[in-house]
CSV table of all heavy atoms in Angstrom, one decimal:
chain,number,residue,atom,x,y,z
H,19,PRO,N,-2.5,59.5,-33.3
H,19,PRO,CA,-1.3,59.4,-32.4
H,19,PRO,C,-0.5,60.7,-32.4
H,19,PRO,O,-0.3,61.3,-33.4
H,19,PRO,CB,-0.4,58.3,-33.1
H,19,PRO,CG,-1.3,57.7,-34.2
H,19,PRO,CD,-2.2,58.7,-34.6
H,20,THR,N,-0.1,61.1,-31.2
H,20,THR,CA,0.7,62.3,-31.0
H,20,THR,C,1.7,62.2,-29.9
H,20,THR,O,1.6,61.2,-29.1
H,20,THR,CB,-0.2,63.6,-30.6
H,20,THR,OG1,-0.5,63.5,-29.2
H,20,THR,CG2,-1.5,63.6,-31.4
H,21,MET,N,2.6,63.1,-29.8
H,21,MET,CA,3.5,63.2,-28.7
H,21,MET,C,3.1,64.4,-27.7
H,21,MET,O,3.9,64.8,-26.9
H,21,MET,CB,4.9,63.4,-29.1
H,21,MET,CG,5.4,62.2,-29.9
H,21,MET,SD,7.2,61.9,-29.9
H,21,MET,CE,7.8,63.5,-30.5
H,25,HIS,N,-1.1,71.4,-30.8
H,25,HIS,CA,-1.3,72.6,-31.5
H,25,HIS,C,-2.3,72.4,-32.6
H,25,HIS,O,-2.9,71.2,-32.7
H,25,HIS,CB,0.0,73.2,-32.0
H,25,HIS,CG,0.8,72.2,-32.8
H,25,HIS,ND1,0.4,71.7,-34.0
H,25,HIS,CD2,2.0,71.6,-32.6
H,25,HIS,CE1,1.3,70.8,-34.5
H,25,HIS,NE2,2.3,70.8,-33.6
H,27,GLY,N,-2.0,71.8,-35.7
H,27,GLY,CA,-1.7,70.7,-36.6
H,27,GLY,C,-2.3,69.4,-36.0
H,27,GLY,O,-2.9,68.6,-36.8
H,28,HIS,N,-2.2,69.2,-34.7
H,28,HIS,CA,-2.8,68.0,-34.1
H,28,HIS,C,-4.3,68.1,-34.1
H,28,HIS,O,-5.0,67.1,-34.5
H,28,HIS,CB,-2.4,67.9,-32.7
H,28,HIS,CG,-0.9,67.8,-32.5
H,28,HIS,ND1,-0.1,68.7,-31.9
H,28,HIS,CD2,0.0,66.8,-32.8
H,28,HIS,CE1,1.2,68.4,-31.8
H,28,HIS,NE2,1.3,67.2,-32.4
H,31,LEU,N,-6.0,67.1,-37.2
H,31,LEU,CA,-6.1,65.6,-37.4
H,31,LEU,C,-7.4,65.1,-36.7
H,31,LEU,O,-8.1,64.3,-37.2
H,31,LEU,CB,-4.9,64.9,-36.9
H,31,LEU,CG,-3.5,65.3,-37.4
H,31,LEU,CD1,-2.4,64.4,-36.8
H,31,LEU,CD2,-3.4,65.2,-38.9
H,62,TYR,N,11.6,67.7,-24.2
H,62,TYR,CA,10.5,67.8,-25.1
H,62,TYR,C,9.3,68.3,-24.3
H,62,TYR,O,9.0,67.9,-23.2
H,62,TYR,CB,10.1,66.4,-25.7
H,62,TYR,CG,9.2,66.5,-26.9
H,62,TYR,CD1,9.7,66.8,-28.2
H,62,TYR,CD2,7.9,66.4,-26.8
H,62,TYR,CE1,8.9,66.9,-29.3
H,62,TYR,CE2,7.0,66.5,-27.8
H,62,TYR,CZ,7.5,66.8,-29.1
H,62,TYR,OH,6.7,66.9,-30.2
H,137,PHE,N,-2.5,61.0,-39.8
H,137,PHE,CA,-1.1,61.5,-39.6
H,137,PHE,C,-1.0,62.7,-40.5
H,137,PHE,O,-1.8,62.9,-41.5
H,137,PHE,CB,-0.1,60.4,-40.2
H,137,PHE,CG,-0.1,59.2,-39.3
H,137,PHE,CD1,-0.9,58.1,-39.5
H,137,PHE,CD2,0.8,59.1,-38.2
H,137,PHE,CE1,-0.9,57.0,-38.7
H,137,PHE,CE2,0.9,58.0,-37.4
H,137,PHE,CZ,0.0,56.9,-37.6
H,138,GLY,N,-0.1,63.6,-40.1
H,138,GLY,CA,0.2,64.8,-40.9
H,138,GLY,C,1.2,64.6,-42.0
H,138,GLY,O,2.2,63.9,-41.8
H,140,LYS,N,3.2,66.9,-42.7
H,140,LYS,CA,4.4,67.5,-42.2
H,140,LYS,C,5.5,66.6,-42.1
H,140,LYS,O,6.7,66.9,-42.3
H,140,LYS,CB,4.0,68.2,-40.9
H,140,LYS,CG,5.2,68.4,-39.9
H,140,LYS,CD,5.4,69.9,-39.8
H,140,LYS,CE,6.7,70.2,-39.0
H,140,LYS,NZ,7.0,69.2,-38.0
H,141,ASP,N,5.2,65.4,-41.6
H,141,ASP,CA,6.2,64.3,-41.4
H,141,ASP,C,6.0,63.3,-42.6
H,141,ASP,O,5.6,62.2,-42.4
H,141,ASP,CB,6.1,63.6,-40.1
H,141,ASP,CG,6.2,64.6,-38.9
H,141,ASP,OD1,7.4,64.9,-38.6
H,141,ASP,OD2,5.2,65.2,-38.4
H,144,GLN,N,7.8,59.9,-42.5
H,144,GLN,CA,7.2,59.1,-41.4
H,144,GLN,C,5.9,58.4,-41.9
H,144,GLN,O,5.7,57.2,-41.7
H,144,GLN,CB,6.9,60.0,-40.2
H,144,GLN,CG,5.9,59.3,-39.2
H,144,GLN,CD,5.8,60.2,-37.9
H,144,GLN,OE1,6.7,60.2,-37.1
H,144,GLN,NE2,4.7,60.9,-37.8
H,165,PRO,N,-3.3,67.5,-44.5
H,165,PRO,CA,-2.4,68.6,-44.9
H,165,PRO,C,-1.6,69.2,-43.8
H,165,PRO,O,-2.0,69.1,-42.6
H,165,PRO,CB,-3.3,69.6,-45.6
H,165,PRO,CG,-4.7,69.1,-45.4
H,165,PRO,CD,-4.7,67.8,-44.7
H,166,VAL,N,-0.5,70.0,-44.2
H,166,VAL,CA,0.3,70.7,-43.2
H,166,VAL,C,-0.4,71.9,-42.7
H,166,VAL,O,-0.9,72.7,-43.6
H,166,VAL,CB,1.7,71.0,-43.8
H,166,VAL,CG1,2.5,71.7,-42.7
H,166,VAL,CG2,2.3,69.8,-44.4
H,167,ILE,N,-0.5,72.1,-41.5
H,167,ILE,CA,-1.1,73.4,-40.9
H,167,ILE,C,0.0,74.3,-40.6
H,167,ILE,O,1.0,73.9,-40.0
H,167,ILE,CB,-1.9,73.1,-39.6
H,167,ILE,CG1,-3.0,72.0,-39.9
H,167,ILE,CG2,-2.6,74.4,-39.1
H,167,ILE,CD1,-4.0,72.3,-40.9
H,175,LEU,N,3.4,74.5,-38.1
H,175,LEU,CA,3.2,74.3,-36.7
H,175,LEU,C,4.0,73.1,-36.2
H,175,LEU,O,4.0,72.0,-36.9
H,175,LEU,CB,1.8,74.2,-36.3
H,175,LEU,CG,0.8,75.3,-36.6
H,175,LEU,CD1,-0.5,75.1,-35.9
H,175,LEU,CD2,1.4,76.6,-36.2
D,301,LIG,P1,3.9,64.8,-33.1
D,301,LIG,O1,3.2,65.1,-31.9
D,301,LIG,O2,4.9,65.8,-33.5
D,301,LIG,O3,4.5,63.4,-33.1
D,301,LIG,O4,2.9,64.8,-34.3
D,301,LIG,C1,1.7,64.0,-34.2
D,301,LIG,C2,1.0,64.0,-35.6
D,301,LIG,O5,0.7,65.3,-35.9
D,301,LIG,C3,1.9,63.5,-36.7
D,301,LIG,O6,1.1,62.7,-37.6
D,301,LIG,C4,2.4,64.8,-37.3
D,301,LIG,O7,2.7,64.6,-38.7
D,301,LIG,C5,1.1,65.7,-37.1
D,301,LIG,N1,1.5,67.1,-37.2
D,301,LIG,C6,2.4,67.7,-36.5
D,301,LIG,N2,2.5,69.0,-36.9
D,301,LIG,C7,1.6,69.2,-37.9
D,301,LIG,C8,1.3,70.2,-38.8
D,301,LIG,N3,1.8,71.5,-38.7
D,301,LIG,N4,0.3,70.0,-39.7
D,301,LIG,C9,-0.2,68.8,-39.9
D,301,LIG,N5,0.1,67.8,-39.1
D,301,LIG,C10,1.0,67.9,-38.1
Side-chain angles (χ1 to χ4, degrees):
T20 82
M21 297 206 301
H25 50 64
H28 299 112
L31 303 182
Y62 195 83
F137 294 88
K140 156 111 187 329
D141 301 278
Q144 164 174 285
V166 182
I167 306 298
L175 298 193

